[in-house]
Amino acid sequence: MDRQQSLSRLFDGSSEWDIAVIGGGATGVGIAVDAASRGYSVCLVEQSDFGKGTSSRSTKLVHGGVRYLQQGNISLVMEALRERGILRQNAPHLVHDLAFIVPNYEWWETPFYGIGMKVYDMLAGRYGFGHSRLLSKEETLERIPTLEPDGLRGGVLYYDGQFDDSRLLINLAQTAHEHGAVLANYVHVENLTRDQDGFVNGIVVHDLESGNRHTVRAKSVINATGAFCDAIRKLDEPESDPMIAPSQGVHLVLDRSFLPGDSAIMVPRTSDGRVMFAIPWHEHTVLGTTDTAIKDVTLEPAPMEQEINFILETAAQYLDKPPRREDVLSVFTGIRPLVKTSAGSTAALSRDHTIHVSKSGLLTIAGGKWTTYRKMAEDCVDHAATLGKLDERPCVTKTLKIHAWDANPDQFGQLKYYGADALKIRALMDADLALARQLHPALPIYAAQAIWAARHEMARTVDDVLARRTRALFLNARAAIDVALEVARLLAVELAKDEAWQREQVNVFTAIAKNYLVPA
Ligand SMILES: Cc1cc2nc3c(=O)[nH]c(=O)nc-3n(C[C@H](O)[C@H](O)[C@H](O)COP(=O)(O)OP(=O)(O)OC[C@H]3O[C@@H](n4cnc5c(N)ncnc54)[C@H](O)[C@@H]3O)c2cc1C
């Protein structure tokens, strides 16, 4: 993926694309993969970096959603469990199964959650990840030695999926590119164009690096901008009512000692009625999440004090050693693109996706979840094909291997999240020992990864490398700030930038990263 080549194709003015996609999150990039692999011509533009929005800020679960089972949304759970199984087959280098334990402190919890998890197993059918079972107190503590032992009666073990969200997104972008899609980051959609009958037939884009503006023509335009989708809908219909009820979720990242072993904790009902997880991820512990209604949708939402306190207090009820503020290595916040209904709290809003077609033919897709991105894309491309009067072509993504597919990623050690690309990164390290050095003792990142990100993954900034190509910012914000200058230097060589650019990059990244630090 080369940004300059993408821009040349996008802006040459000669082609009318079958489909133009606005938004480079899971939804938009999933659509690009689906459309390109059917053989449609498709372009995608993202105003910031791929995954800068919600798609890098999830709880990192590929799951049916135990909570939706509690809400009785059986069809959503079944669809998500099927998609979970499909995704593990198509991206085994990024999706793996994980054991979850529901710790039981009340007498009724063991039978209640034990039966619930059997239903979850049953709904998964042939896409099951492993059978749930009851654990004794001893077995529960053996798997999670840091659980509060006082009053513990036992646990319920079940299996779900886990992934690295932004790495999957980048690999999906590469998959789309390999099937002929043209994707570009840092291209903002400012307006829509219409034909003489008033139908949307293109987008007006602003290349944020060069400052140039262009019109890109397309038979079908898809608004896949997640929580931002109402702004694009207003370009189409200024009077339209908002579709999105934005709500944010916060996660705290701690070191691994809070959750040693390979099992996660699932608390099915916190004091505010939500589900809370503690999950091992990249040799750290992720705690979350919250669900707080917000007014403004921004690219770098900030955690609220009460959200941080709530997660710490809930964790303290279940962990033997309660985490303190100073234990938090990073805090990250994402905005749910929940579609409005008449329901009250955002926690009760549907996680199903919605496809809306405006009078002028603009297609908006919103809601859903990461786990179901493939099915969302299939539905959306079916609609776009009808609207754009494209030849009917079947969806092929159920069995489409995602870029860097590898069935045995553990063989690549620290680089396992790169799947088959790990071999090429290792080759970079072998050819130049300077690229084999670890950038920070607290972070499992090597100089070669920054080079690889610039050359093959369209990374344009220090933030792209430290937040989404690697997960440094999400794992340890202070350590990420420490390595920013070194990453700026490495990128500058690849992107032919000067020292002023490096200084500016460090300043911009440091300002972003401060949002990931918890004040003492
Ligand atoms: C806290 C939290 C935890 C979650 N956990 C899970 C989980 O564990 N498992 C799961 O399956 N799902 C989870 N989800 C849901 C999942 O993350 C989202 O459903 C999904 O990432 C939404 O993707 P999207 O592409 O629709 O939106 P986004 O990822 O936000 O992408 C939209 C993109 O559009 C771009 N854009 C906006 N305006 C413009 C414009 N004018 N021009 C060009 N580009 C534009 C934005 O920059 C953005 O990158 C979670 C969500 C949250 C908030």
Side-chain angles (χ1 to χ4, degrees):
M1 284 201 303
D2 178 89
R3 186 170 185 274
Q4 205 43 54
Q5 283 176 14
S6 288
L7 294 189
S8 307
R9 293 265 320 271
L10 257 182
F11 300 155
D12 73 1
S14 62
S15 38
E16 182 189 37
W17 301 85
D18 287 335
I19 297 175
V21 184
I22 314 172
T27 309
V29 175
I31 290 166
V33 171
D34 185 298
S37 58
R38 290 191 202 202
Y40 295 134
S41 68
V42 54
C43 65
L44 177 149
V45 290
E46 160 57 47
Q47 66 174 351
S48 175
D49 184 29
F50 305 117
K52 174 76 174 179
T54 307
S55 297
S56 58
R57 302 159 187 270
S58 76
T59 310
K60 327 298 179 201
L61 299 181
V62 180
H63 62 160
V66 172
R67 181 151 59 102
Y68 316 129
L69 190 63
Q70 288 174 6
Q71 291 169 355
N73 196 340
I74 300 289
S75 60
L76 176 64
V77 176
M78 278 184 81
E79 177 175 284
L81 287 170
R82 191 171 53 242
E83 290 301 319
R84 181 187 75 165
I86 291 172
L87 190 51
R88 189 179 58 170
Q89 273 167 25
N90 293 339
H93 58 300
L94 285 167
V95 180
H96 62 94
D97 36 323
L98 182 65
F100 286 74
I101 292 174
V102 184
N104 298 154
Y105 290 90
E106 305 285 345
W107 67 267
W108 55 268
E109 288 178 320
T110 306
F112 184 76
Y113 294 120
I115 292 169
M117 292 315 171
K118 284 287 169 219
V119 175
Y120 199 62
D121 288 353
M122 201 184 71
L123 293 177
R126 69 188 176 93
Y127 291 105
F129 274 22
H131 294 298
S132 64
R133 68 184 176 91
L134 304 184
L135 301 179
S136 66
K137 176 176 177 173
E138 291 68 33
E139 285 173 311
T140 305
L141 285 172
E142 208 171 286
R143 281 178 173 264
I144 306 183
T146 47
L147 264 180
E148 172 58 62
D150 269 3
L152 183 71
R153 289 166 172 267
V156 179
L157 168 74
Y158 74 100
Y159 292 89
D160 234 326
Q162 187 187 33
F163 75 137
D164 182 323
D165 47 13
S166 66
R167 288 278 346 140
L168 178 59
L169 188 70
I170 299 304
N171 283 172
L172 283 169
Q174 290 165 308
T175 310
H177 166 77
E178 284 154 10
H179 284 84
V182 169
L183 302 93
N185 51 7
Y186 297 100
V187 175
H188 178 241
V189 172
E190 290 186 334
N191 217 334
L192 305 169
T193 60
R194 292 160 190 279
D195 64 15
Q196 64 271 31
D197 298 319
F199 283 102
V200 170
N201 67 352
I203 50 182
V204 179
V205 300
H206 181 194
D207 171 6
L208 298 179
E209 288 195 7
S210 70
N212 295 334
R213 288 182 167 79
H214 298 267
T215 295
V216 176
R217 292 181 304 121
K219 292 177 188 148
S220 184
V221 174
I222 300 178
N223 171 15
T225 54
F228 298 85
C229 74
D230 287 324
I232 299 289
R233 290 179 59 240
K234 284 226 180 284
L235 296 176
D236 178 39
E237 291 177 341
E239 307 305 321
S240 60
D241 288 330
M243 261 173 88
I244 297 292
S247 124
Q248 72 174 30
V250 165
H251 294 88
L252 305 183
V253 180
L254 314 173
D255 74 35
R256 190 77 159 93
S257 66
F258 287 91
L259 194 65
D262 296 326
S263 303
I265 303 174
M266 198 275 253
V267 176
R269 202 168 173 81
T270 58
S271 59
D272 73 345
R274 286 190 46 77
V275 171
M276 180 83 76
F277 293 99
I279 305 177
W281 188 64
H282 283 283
E283 292 306 310
H284 286 69
T285 302
V286 177
L287 301 179
T289 178
T290 55
D291 197 333
T292 314
I294 51 168
K295 277 210 178 74
D296 298 322
V297 176
T298 58
L299 277 175
E300 279 296 345
M304 295 174 197
E305 241 340 270
Q306 71 259 29
E307 294 180 290
I308 295 171
N309 291 336
F310 177 75
I311 296 174
L312 289 174
E313 281 159 18
T314 306
Q317 290 168 25
Y318 292 90
L319 296 179
D320 195 21
K321 183 181 118 193
R324 299 157 306 167
R325 293 178 76 81
E326 51 272 36
D327 295 318
V328 179
L329 301 173
S330 181
V331 48
F332 61 90
T333 311
I335 303 179
R336 293 181 186 79
L338 298 181
V339 178
K340 271 191 177 172
T341 64
S342 50
S345 86
T346 50
L349 289 187
S350 169
R351 265 58 178 172
D352 277 332
H353 64 275
T354 296
I355 295 176
H356 175 269
V357 184
S358 76
K359 287 195 204 91
S360 52
L362 174 71
L363 241 153
T364 296
I365 176 162
K369 45 194 214 146
W370 235 123
T371 307
T372 53
Y373 84 92
R374 192 208 63 81
K375 184 67 176 60
M376 292 167 67
E378 181 179 347
D379 290 352
C380 192
V381 174
D382 285 347
H383 275 76
T386 309
L387 265 177
K389 301 189 180 65
L390 308 178
D391 295 342
E392 225 174 273
R393 292 177 188 170
C395 169
V396 297
T397 53
K398 260 189 203 151
T399 52
L400 187 76
K401 287 183 176 164
I402 291 166
H403 176 91
W405 187 98
D406 192 286
N408 181 19
D410 286 340
Q411 65 180 309
F412 304 124
Q414 302 266 40
L415 294 175
K416 64 183 175 187
Y417 298 95
Y418 287 87
D421 282 345
L423 292 172
K424 296 176 197 154
I425 298 174
R426 280 226 188 111
L428 282 178
M429 294 172 165
D430 292 343
D432 180 354
L433 278 186
L435 297 183
R437 75 185 181 285
Q438 189 167 343
L439 295 182
H440 193 287
L443 287 172
I445 307 177
Y446 299 84
Q449 288 170 257
I451 304 294
W452 177 261
R455 285 187 196 164
H456 302 287
E457 297 180 343
M458 220 186 269
R460 309 295 300 171
T461 70
V462 168
D463 181 45
D464 298 351
V465 172
L466 289 176
R468 291 168 296 280
R469 304 306 183 283
T470 71
R471 308 316 305 270
L473 178 60
F474 286 70
L475 296 175
N476 190 324
R478 203 163 291 287
I481 293 172
D482 289 347
V483 300
L485 178 59
E486 174 130 33
V487 171
R489 282 198 194 116
L490 290 162
L491 278 185
V493 176
E494 292 300 310
L495 304 176
K497 303 286 186 186
D498 60 14
E499 277 190 22
W501 180 87
Q502 294 174 40
R503 276 194 301 277
E504 197 212 340
Q505 280 293 308
V506 173
N507 290 340
V508 169
F509 178 73
T510 306
I512 293 171
K514 285 196 171 141
N515 208 19
Y516 292 67
L517 296 171
V518 171

